[in-house]
């Protein structure tokens, strides 16, 4: 378990407060500031995209212009000036690298500082029994290095940058892109559809169990560059894949907009497990700076007996607006949502899920753990909808909030719409505080204030943490402590 | 080892400890007995450093250094262990995880190498067995759903694993039936030794049948009003607290 030990060591070595506040000096090939049809054409041309995709982008852009900003979420921020941002920035590497050796060493260094070096993957390959993780690294907007491709190719698995998939597997991309999250779904997804620059593409063929966790580490690096990642994962009949997404960003003074779209498609008997650890710059103690994370994530359980499971640990961003959802179309399909959201200082989060039961005997589970400290505000917003045809559908929802201090807030807004009388829907919610007794008990046993809070909060989140793949869980446990530093005492 | 001089403590502006003097040398077990409201728990919380217990006068020396200016976790690292009257529940945190975190936090503060999983399990297994604590109980969240006896045995397990220089036990016998009392007392007795001091705070004499103290002190209205050997506890049991310089009955 060399990698796990290394990761623990690296997380330990990270300094105070926000650990990833550095930026790498790499030349960028940038589009001019602002957003227009020309910029959309520029991006599409840069990527040498087919005509149908350019048309798709332009349609989305024109629709985006007509859409109002969504205002229903319980978050507060100044109006975004979409013309004051860059929509395309790619590290200048000339021709695409053939191997990691050809990747800019500075990029590799950046990942090393994040505690997740690309090279670790190669080391891992030589370690017997070590977990295998394939990384498709997204640096700003263009994928710069992809590992393990050969091993995956042998199984017929496609794991590459979506820009590459557009060139090499246009039929798959065209069939599924926008089929779960239509361009016009919401203002942010619509913008993404118009200007997305890169992201990951995964296709697991029929009956194949992906032999390793697939992983992408995102990193926003260019000043004022909005990040518009697009991820598309298709699990064909009887296949299985576990996908990890981890994110960090360097410290910036100006707010950065991030509007990603993730689409998952599970066909008959297929299963997709999607895990996220999100640790983008949350802004300083006064709420200055930080990332706006406006993400649309949705999975479609199209096939019978299919399953989609979302697990997320959200500790970063100044504003989080995110509802990973499942459309349970196939009979007996299963949707799961396990979430830990931590907000400290002036962070705001409005997050939750939607479970749409369409097929018969569909089942969903929602476990949401919200932790609020400092002046932070957090809302769980969830929808459980049972359609008339969803005979025998079942949902279980548990929403727990933990407050640290007396200036933060936690809100729970569940929507339940049951249109089939055979459905069973359960909702449980609790709100609690870390007590002085608990803190004192831990300190009497030798733990510092901050170690005590981290331990208690990790206990509170345990049901979610145990859903994470092992190598991710270690990092996430450390992050819980890091993100709550300074919240007591 | 522990020396308390003229200690005065206020809680919520009310003076509870009023000029308490006490010395426990290493290798000795002392018992403090007292009626409800005498200040027994206030004394234990003050020694452990809990917020809200304000020392207005006096001095406490522990292993040759001033105790009162130390943070609670520093006192723990210095070797002061408090067995709680009401052990606290920590949902979701396995007892084993809690123990390991505590042991390593203390070792880190002392500049000692942390235990790895193997070393730690070896340490815990033996001690848990002595206290009749099963693996299943170690996996359960700290004190959540534990019976009264299980909670107290868990306190003694933590004490055994942390191996403190000084054990302060606050009403460890409360809520225990006679069998559980025996297990707990055996656990405490196993920790008696020439280098370790103990202060056992209790309301009833029965615990002292099992843990025989070197000295017994009677605490009333915030002061030690009488000290003696183990027979003092028996005498107290017969006569009641009223006859020992206090008009407050037990």
């Amino acid at each position: 378990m060399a990698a796990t030990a290394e990761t623990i060591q690296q997380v330990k070595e990270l300094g105070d407060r926000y650990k990833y506040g550095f930026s790498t000096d790499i030349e960028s090939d940038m589009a001019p500031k602002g957003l227009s049809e020309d910029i959309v054409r520029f991006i599409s041309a840069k990527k040498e995209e087919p005509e149908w995709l350019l048309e798709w982008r332009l349609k989305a852009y024109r629709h985006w212009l007509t859409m109002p900003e969504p205002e229903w979420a319980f978050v507060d921020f100044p109006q975004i000036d979409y013309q004051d941002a860059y929509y395309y920035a790619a590290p200048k590497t000339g021709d695409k690298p053939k191997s990691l050796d050809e990747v800019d060493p500075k990029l590799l260094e950046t990942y090393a500082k994040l505690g997740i070096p690309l090279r670790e993957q190669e080391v891992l390959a030589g370690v017997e029994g070590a977990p295998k993780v394939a990384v498709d690294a997204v640096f700003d907007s263009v994928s710069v290095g992809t590992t393990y491709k050969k091993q995956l190719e042998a199984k017929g698995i496609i794991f590459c940058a979506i820009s590459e998939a557009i060139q090499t597997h246009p039929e798959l991309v065209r069939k599924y892109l926008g089929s779960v999250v239509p361009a016009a779904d919401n203002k942010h997804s619509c913008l993404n559809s118009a200007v997305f620059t890169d992201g990951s593409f995964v296709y697991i063929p029929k009956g194949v169990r992906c032999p390793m966790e697939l992983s992408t580490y995102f990193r926003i690096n260019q000043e004022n560059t909005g990040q518009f990642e697009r991820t598309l994962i298709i699990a064909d009949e009887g296949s299985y894949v576990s996908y990890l997404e981890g994110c960090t960003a360097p410290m910036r003074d100006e707010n950065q907009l991030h509007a990603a779209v993730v689409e998952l498609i599970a066909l008959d008997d297929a299963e997709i497990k999607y895990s996220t650890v999100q640790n983008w710059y949350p802004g300083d103690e006064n709420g200055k700076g930080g990332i706006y994370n406006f993400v649309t994530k949705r999975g479609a359980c199209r096939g019978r007996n299919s399953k989609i499971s979302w697990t997320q640990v959200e500790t970063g961003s100044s504003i989080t607006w995110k509802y990973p959802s499942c459309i349970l179309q196939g009979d007996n399909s299963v949707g799961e949502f396990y979430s830990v959201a931590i907000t400290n200082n002036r962070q705001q989060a409005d997050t939750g899920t939607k479970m749409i039961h369409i097929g018969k005997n569909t089942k969903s589970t929602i476990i949401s753990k919200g932790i609020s400290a400092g002046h932070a505000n957090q809302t769980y917003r969830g929808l459980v909808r049972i359609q008339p045809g969803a005979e025998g559908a079942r949902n279980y929802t548990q929403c727990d909030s933990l407050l640290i201090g007396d200036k933060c807030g936690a809100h729970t807004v569940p929507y339940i719409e049951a249109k089939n009388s055979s459905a069973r829907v359960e909702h449980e919610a609790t709100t609690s505080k870390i007590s002085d007794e608990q803190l004192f008990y831990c300190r009497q046993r030798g733990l510092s204030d901050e170690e005590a809070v981290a331990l208690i909060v990790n206990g509170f989140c345990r049901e979610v943490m145990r859903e994470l793949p092992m190598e991710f869980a270690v990092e996430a446990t450390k992050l819980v402590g890091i993100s709550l530093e300074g919240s007591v005492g | 080892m522990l020396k308390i001089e003229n200690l005065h403590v206020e809680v919520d502006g009310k003076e509870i400890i009023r000029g308490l003097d006490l010395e426990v040398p290493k290798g000795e077990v002392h018992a403090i007995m007292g009626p409800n409201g005498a200040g027994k728990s206030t004394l234990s919380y003050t020694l452990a450093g809990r917020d809200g217990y304000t020392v207005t006068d006096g001095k406490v020396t522990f292993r040759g250094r001033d105790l009162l200016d130390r943070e609670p976790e520093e006192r723990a690292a210095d070797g002061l262990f408090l067995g709680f009257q009401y052990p606290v529940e920590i949902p979701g945190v396995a007892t084993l995880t809690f123990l390991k975190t505590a042991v390593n936090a203390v070792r880190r503060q002392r500049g000692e190498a942390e235990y790895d999983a193997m070393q730690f399990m070896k340490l815990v297994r033996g001690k848990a067995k002595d206290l009749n604590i099963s693996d299943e109980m170690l996996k359960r969240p700290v004190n959540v759903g534990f019976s009264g006896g299980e909670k107290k045995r868990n306190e003694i397990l933590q004490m055994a694993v942390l191996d403190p220089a000084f054990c302060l036990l606050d009403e460890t016998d409360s809520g225990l039936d006679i069998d559980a009392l025996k297990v707990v007392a055996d656990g405490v007795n196993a920790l008696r030794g020439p280098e370790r001091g103990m202060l056992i705070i209790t309301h009833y004499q029965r615990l002292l049948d099992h843990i025989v103290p070197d000295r017994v002190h009677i605490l009333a209205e915030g002061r030690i009003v009488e000290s003696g050997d183990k027979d003092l506890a028996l005498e107290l049991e017969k006569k009641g607290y009223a006859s020992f310089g206090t008009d407050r009955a037990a």
Side-chain angles (χ1 to χ4, degrees):
Chain A
M1 296 298 281
T4 309
E6 195 184 339
T7 303
I8 296 170
Q9 186 56 31
Q10 275 157 342
V11 172
K12 246 186 225 160
E13 283 165 6
L14 301 169
D16 271 341
R17 305 285 156 168
Y18 189 68
K19 321 296 184 193
Y20 307 142
F22 52 85
S23 70
T24 312
D25 188 18
I26 290 175
E27 268 183 273
S28 274
D29 184 2
M30 282 173 125
K33 231 181 200 182
L35 187 53
S36 65
E37 281 205 13
D38 286 344
I39 293 291
V40 176
R41 287 177 195 280
F42 174 88
I43 293 167
S44 191
K46 269 273 176 198
K47 306 236 153 227
E48 299 165 24
E49 286 175 355
E51 189 60 26
W52 65 265
L53 191 52
L54 173 62
E55 283 309 316
W56 192 77
R57 284 176 180 275
L58 288 171
K59 201 175 151 202
Y61 174 70
R62 288 170 198 141
H63 188 77
W64 177 77
L65 291 173
T66 68
M67 291 181 91
E69 291 281 339
E71 282 172 349
W72 40 265
F74 189 54
V75 292
D76 186 32
F77 57 93
Q79 206 176 344
I80 299 167
D81 183 357
Y82 291 100
Q83 298 305 331
D84 192 34
Y86 293 96
Y87 290 85
Y88 185 83
K92 265 188 186 164
T93 51
D95 289 333
K96 284 210 164 189
K98 303 282 180 295
S99 72
L100 280 181
D101 298 337
E102 293 178 27
V103 172
D104 188 334
K106 276 197 178 162
L107 291 189
L108 298 178
E109 248 174 62
T110 303
Y111 286 106
K113 279 188 215 167
L114 292 173
I116 313 112
L118 271 179
R119 291 199 178 279
E120 175 187 304
Q121 313 312 320
E122 294 176 335
V123 175
L124 267 178
V127 178
E128 210 174 29
K132 290 179 178 170
V133 181
V135 176
D136 176 25
V138 177
F139 193 85
D140 262 22
S141 311
V142 172
S143 293
V144 290
T146 306
T147 48
Y148 272 106
K149 227 166 185 174
K150 284 210 178 99
Q151 252 185 289
L152 294 172
E153 268 168 12
K155 294 242 176 199
I157 293 167
I158 306 166
F159 177 38
C160 63
I162 199 162
S163 55
E164 190 185 326
I166 288 163
Q167 306 298 334
T168 55
H169 301 87
E171 72 298 339
L172 280 173
V173 176
R174 195 167 185 179
K175 183 171 175 189
Y176 290 108
L177 186 73
S179 74
V180 186
V181 181
D185 187 79
N186 66 73
K187 179 109 184 167
H188 305 310
S189 69
C190 199
L191 178 63
N192 176 287
S193 301
V195 301
F196 76 87
T197 41
D198 222 329
S200 292
F201 177 84
V202 176
Y203 173 78
I204 314 291
K206 276 184 193 172
V208 170
R209 193 177 167 89
C210 185
M212 65 190 79
E213 316 266 0
L214 301 180
S215 163
T216 299
Y217 287 97
F218 293 89
R219 182 161 165 79
I220 301 174
N221 192 58
Q222 206 65 325
E223 234 170 324
N224 281 330
T225 305
Q227 283 266 306
F228 303 97
E229 303 293 343
R230 188 95 196 184
T231 300
L232 181 57
I233 299 176
I234 303 143
D236 212 327
E237 292 171 19
S239 68
Y240 168 84
V241 63
S242 168
Y243 188 87
L244 317 181
E245 177 199 33
C247 328
T248 55
M251 194 175 286
R252 292 290 183 208
D253 260 344
E254 283 168 72
N255 290 307
Q256 287 181 305
L257 173 63
H258 187 103
V261 173
V262 175
E263 296 178 280
L264 312 182
I265 295 119
L267 302 181
D268 284 0
D269 304 301
E271 180 178 349
I272 302 174
K273 186 173 168 65
Y274 192 105
S275 313
T276 307
V277 171
Q278 187 267 116
N279 182 31
W280 283 327
Y281 182 52
D284 66 14
E285 286 90 338
N286 301 313
K288 190 172 160 50
I291 304 291
Y292 291 179
N293 187 19
F294 300 155
V295 181
T296 306
K297 289 184 168 177
R298 195 173 301 157
C301 285
R302 294 245 164 101
R304 279 176 292 109
N305 310 317
S306 57
K307 180 177 175 183
I308 289 179
S309 179
W310 299 98
T311 306
Q312 58 171 24
V313 176
E314 303 274 324
T315 64
S317 297
S318 61
I319 301 173
T320 300
W321 183 99
K322 181 181 174 187
Y323 316 89
S325 303
C326 296
I327 299 167
L328 304 170
Q329 222 170 329
D331 289 349
N332 310 319
S333 59
V334 176
E336 293 175 339
F337 175 74
Y338 297 97
S339 169
V340 168
I342 298 179
T343 47
N344 195 1
N345 296 318
R346 300 275 172 182
Q347 280 177 279
Q348 305 174 62
D350 194 300
T351 184
T353 184
K354 287 189 273 189
M355 294 290 175
I356 313 295
H357 293 253
I358 299 168
K360 291 186 179 63
N361 300 313
T362 45
K363 238 170 83 180
S364 63
T365 304
I366 299 171
I367 309 284
S368 164
K369 303 279 181 176
I371 299 105
S372 231
H375 290 82
N377 246 312
Q378 192 174 124
T379 304
Y380 167 82
R381 190 182 301 278
L383 168 67
V384 175
R385 177 184 290 156
I386 314 288
Q387 297 287 62
E391 205 66 36
R394 278 162 60 193
N395 161 264
Y396 173 74
T397 301
Q398 185 188 328
C399 284
D400 297 323
S401 303
L402 185 70
L403 303 173
I404 302 173
D406 54 8
K407 292 182 180 64
C408 54
H411 317 272
T412 303
V413 189
Y415 303 83
I416 298 168
E417 298 169 12
K419 293 173 185 155
N420 184 308
S421 58
S422 69
R424 207 167 81 214
V425 180
E426 290 174 73
H427 181 96
E428 288 179 22
T430 66
T431 302
S432 53
K433 295 188 83 163
I434 291 185
S435 69
D436 292 343
E437 282 84 9
Q438 285 175 324
L439 281 178
F440 177 64
Y441 190 64
C442 292
R443 293 182 74 189
Q444 209 303 303
R445 298 298 184 250
L447 280 69
S448 68
D449 257 342
E450 284 175 351
E451 288 168 327
V453 168
L455 185 78
I456 294 166
V457 172
N458 271 308
F460 175 76
C461 303
R462 197 168 74 123
E463 290 154 284
V464 175
M465 293 300 201
R466 71 180 175 203
E467 294 295 325
L468 287 172
M470 191 56 190
E471 56 270 45
F472 235 28
V474 172
E475 221 179 308
T477 302
K478 295 282 172 188
L479 263 185
V480 166
I482 292 169
S483 55
L484 286 168
E485 277 176 10
S487 62
V488 288
Chain B
M1 175 167 253
L2 177 73
K3 193 174 181 194
I4 305 171
E5 295 165 273
N6 188 33
L7 184 69
H8 291 256
V9 180
E10 278 184 8
V11 180
D12 294 332
K14 189 172 171 243
E15 187 167 59
I16 308 288
I17 303 287
R18 308 167 183 183
L20 185 144
D21 294 284
L22 180 70
E23 186 167 2
V24 184
K26 72 175 180 181
E28 290 191 11
V29 174
H30 287 211
I32 287 188
M33 302 185 68
N36 290 327
K40 300 193 298 293
S41 287
T42 298
L43 177 62
S44 61
Y45 282 146
T46 304
L47 293 175
R50 186 167 183 171
D51 283 345
Y53 292 77
T54 314
V55 175
T56 52
D57 200 4
K59 198 178 156 192
V60 180
T61 320
F62 178 57
R63 304 178 89 184
R65 72 188 293 175
D66 184 9
L67 180 75
L68 298 175
D69 66 354
R70 309 276 283 162
E71 294 293 332
E73 60 270 31
E74 294 171 329
R75 300 179 197 202
D78 288 345
L80 180 75
F81 179 93
L82 168 62
F84 282 64
Q85 182 179 3
Y86 304 110
V88 181
E89 296 183 1
I90 310 178
V93 178
T95 300
L96 209 53
T97 306
F98 180 70
L99 268 173
K100 186 168 180 223
T101 308
V103 168
N104 282 335
V106 165
R107 292 184 67 86
R108 201 162 51 240
Q109 286 189 70
R110 290 176 184 161
E112 296 164 356
E114 293 184 25
Y115 283 133
D116 63 27
M118 296 281 278
Q119 292 169 313
F120 174 73
M121 280 314 295
K122 212 176 147 194
L123 177 72
V124 171
R125 281 256 161 76
K127 309 217 186 253
K129 203 170 160 234
D130 294 342
L131 287 159
N132 199 16
I133 290 174
S134 63
D135 279 6
E136 182 272 329
M137 186 172 149
L138 290 173
K139 285 178 189 156
R140 275 153 60 188
V142 181
N143 295 320
V144 178
F146 282 28
S147 69
E150 286 174 330
K151 283 184 182 173
K152 293 301 166 75
R153 273 189 280 146
N154 187 23
E155 290 294 289
I156 304 304
L157 175 66
Q158 292 176 44
M159 185 164 89
V161 170
L162 286 165
D163 194 23
F166 194 91
C167 306
L168 181 59
L169 299 175
D170 188 6
E171 308 234 6
T172 294
D173 52 331
S174 68
L176 293 186
D177 60 34
I178 193 70
D179 293 337
L181 184 71
K182 183 100 180 32
V183 174
V184 166
D186 288 348
V188 174
N189 284 329
L191 288 172
R192 288 178 83 149
E195 296 301 317
R196 182 174 282 128
M198 288 194 188
L199 184 59
I200 294 172
I201 295 172
T202 182
H203 190 85
Y204 296 108
Q205 193 270 335
R206 63 169 192 169
L207 179 65
L208 305 181
D209 288 340
H210 300 279
I211 307 170
V212 180
D214 298 299
R215 299 281 294 167
V216 174
H217 311 276
I218 296 171
L219 175 67
E221 296 179 343
R223 272 184 218 103
I224 301 295
V225 292
E226 184 89 33
S227 296
D229 61 15
K230 62 180 171 28
D231 296 333
L232 180 62
L234 297 169
E235 195 185 338
L236 180 69
E237 185 83 350
K238 260 184 241 145
K239 294 184 181 167
Y241 286 111
S243 56
F244 289 93
T246 165
D247 48 19
R248 208 181 307 186

